Amino acid sequence: GAVKLELDIRNISSNVPVSNLAIQLNKNAFGFSPGSQQVICNPPIPMGGSGKQTVELVNNPNMLVQVPAGQPASPQIQVAVKNMATGLVFYFAANFAFEALFSSDGALERTAFIESWKSIDDQKELFSTVSDLPPSSTDIDQVAAKFQGYNIFLIARRPVPNAVGQEVAYFSMKTTTGMIFMAELTFKQGVNAAKVCLKTENIAYGVQAKVALETLLRSP
């Protein structure tokens, strides 16, 4: 699906109703730019009023900023919105939810997953432990159902040898720009936490993919 930026617009002090805005993004790690720079508020927003608008973001290679070697990609997108009636410009930054980039063709075939997992150097692994999980995030079936809604696909699951009550689940995801991520999640019966191990050749974006998994695990 399309990637969209949701705007909550409030007219704090302008006597002129807000009706016509222009939006612009700085270069960013995802290569996003607005599909249309014009934002029409219909009906116009009077002083003290508010309204919501949605701006579709499209991939534009000219807007892609290169990530410095050895550094993680920044999730931040810098935005400027101009009120065309008053000429005033409002600047802000928003953190991009990386899971919005995952595409519906991200399910790897099991053999391909295993081969890819083994081929990626251990230095391209990222680890974390996510604690205080809601009950729905300690059951693999429920996690898999939740993840699938965000195009994160369960590839395999198995019990951990010689570890009673522990089970591992493997997931794959692919961005609309072609980056592939693989994850190993370890759960233990009766424990509201999970260990996350993520592998990818696109290590600069690995942190964002791991944060996406952690965020979804923590969500009800």
Side-chain angles (χ1 to χ4, degrees), residues 97-114:
F98 196 69
E99 60 269 22
L101 266 186
F102 297 151
S103 62
S104 59
D105 61 347
L108 295 178
E109 192 273 325
R110 184 168 177 163
T111 303
F113 182 99
I114 294 171

Side-chain angles (χ1 to χ4, degrees), residues 8-82:
D8 186 355
I9 303 167
R10 300 184 184 185
N11 184 348
I12 303 298
S13 59
S14 175
N15 290 320
V16 180
V18 178
S19 60
N20 191 0
L21 304 172
I23 185 170
Q24 184 174 323
L25 272 58
N26 279 350
K27 287 187 175 183
N28 54 81
F30 311 102
F32 284 141
S33 66
S36 172
Q37 289 190 314
Q38 188 177 44
V39 180
I40 303 296
C41 301
N42 187 16
I45 302 171
M47 185 164 59
S50 64
K52 295 183 182 295
Q53 294 291 327
T54 300
V55 178
E56 184 172 346
L57 301 181
V58 297
N59 193 260
N60 181 347
N62 294 326
M63 292 294 292
L64 182 65
V65 63
Q66 293 300 317
V67 179
Q71 298 294 317
S74 171
Q76 191 178 88
I77 296 177
Q78 297 175 339
V79 185
V81 176
K82 182 177 182 179

Side-chain angles (χ1 to χ4, degrees), residues 20-220:
N20 191 0
L21 304 172
I23 185 170
Q24 184 174 323
L25 272 58
N26 279 350
K27 287 187 175 183
N28 54 81
F30 311 102
F32 284 141
S33 66
S36 172
Q37 289 190 314
Q38 188 177 44
V39 180
I40 303 296
C41 301
N42 187 16
I45 302 171
M47 185 164 59
S50 64
K52 295 183 182 295
Q53 294 291 327
T54 300
V55 178
E56 184 172 346
L57 301 181
V58 297
N59 193 260
N60 181 347
N62 294 326
M63 292 294 292
L64 182 65
V65 63
Q66 293 300 317
V67 179
Q71 298 294 317
S74 171
Q76 191 178 88
I77 296 177
Q78 297 175 339
V79 185
V81 176
K82 182 177 182 179
N83 185 337
M84 301 305 290
T86 64
L88 296 176
V89 182
F90 178 62
Y91 300 94
F92 66 95
N95 282 345
F96 177 65
F98 196 69
E99 60 269 22
L101 266 186
F102 297 151
S103 62
S104 59
D105 61 347
L108 295 178
E109 192 273 325
R110 184 168 177 163
T111 303
F113 182 99
I114 294 171
E115 291 176 352
S116 297
W117 184 273
K118 291 180 178 178
S119 71
I120 295 177
D121 191 279
D122 289 347
Q123 293 182 335
K124 295 179 179 177
E125 287 184 347
L126 295 169
F127 297 93
S128 69
T129 298
V130 190
S131 305
D132 298 323
L133 296 179
S136 61
S137 289
T138 59
D139 177 84
I140 292 178
D141 288 329
Q142 293 186 61
V143 170
K146 181 198 299 185
F147 277 10
Q148 188 156 350
Y150 292 89
N151 292 324
I152 303 170
F153 300 96
L154 177 66
I155 305 302
R157 58 190 291 181
R158 63 174 177 81
V160 178
N162 304 316
V164 177
Q166 287 195 40
E167 192 171 4
V168 175
Y170 295 91
F171 296 87
S172 73
M173 58 222 91
K174 178 182 178 183
T175 67
T176 54
T177 53
M179 294 184 287
I180 294 175
F181 302 90
M182 296 171 290
E184 175 191 78
L185 273 61
T186 305
F187 299 88
K188 184 175 182 179
Q189 190 173 4
V191 177
N192 64 337
K195 291 181 179 179
V196 177
C197 172
L198 184 131
K199 277 192 170 190
T200 179
E201 292 289 358
N202 302 98
I203 193 63
Y205 292 85
V207 171
Q208 298 308 319
K210 182 172 70 69
V211 168
L213 294 178
E214 294 167 352
T215 300
L216 294 175
L217 282 170
R218 289 191 177 103
S219 68

